[in-house]
Amino acid sequence: SGESPLTGGGRPVETLRGDYRAYYRAVTAALREGAPNPVTAYEAANALDVLEAARRSAREGVSVRL
């Protein structure tokens, strides 16, 4: 459990395609016009948790549960 399909475990998970142009337009509007930020602070913090877990997993060679 927790292994990459590339190393003989786990399974691939299909991801959704992103629209980066729309995202950066929304960031620009948030900065220039005071529009809502396209990513909430909560969502950004969750993304950082995932990145830190990935670093820990790679560094220690362990599965990290979130």
Side-chain angles (χ1 to χ4, degrees):
S1 140
E3 276 195 57
S4 164
L6 298 176
T7 61
R11 64 180 172 76
V13 176
E14 191 170 334
T15 58
L16 300 174
R17 291 182 52 92
D19 186 345
Y20 293 106
R21 289 179 292 184
Y23 169 74
Y24 287 111
R25 279 194 301 270
V27 169
T28 300
L31 294 171
R32 291 185 177 168
E33 304 160 15
N37 191 327
V39 177
T40 67
Y42 180 77
E43 291 167 327
N46 283 339
L48 292 174
D49 287 342
V50 170
L51 292 172
E52 181 55 34
R55 288 182 62 177
R56 179 177 168 216
S57 177
R59 182 178 60 245
E60 298 176 15
V62 298
S63 294
V64 178
R65 184 176 296 273
L66 296 175

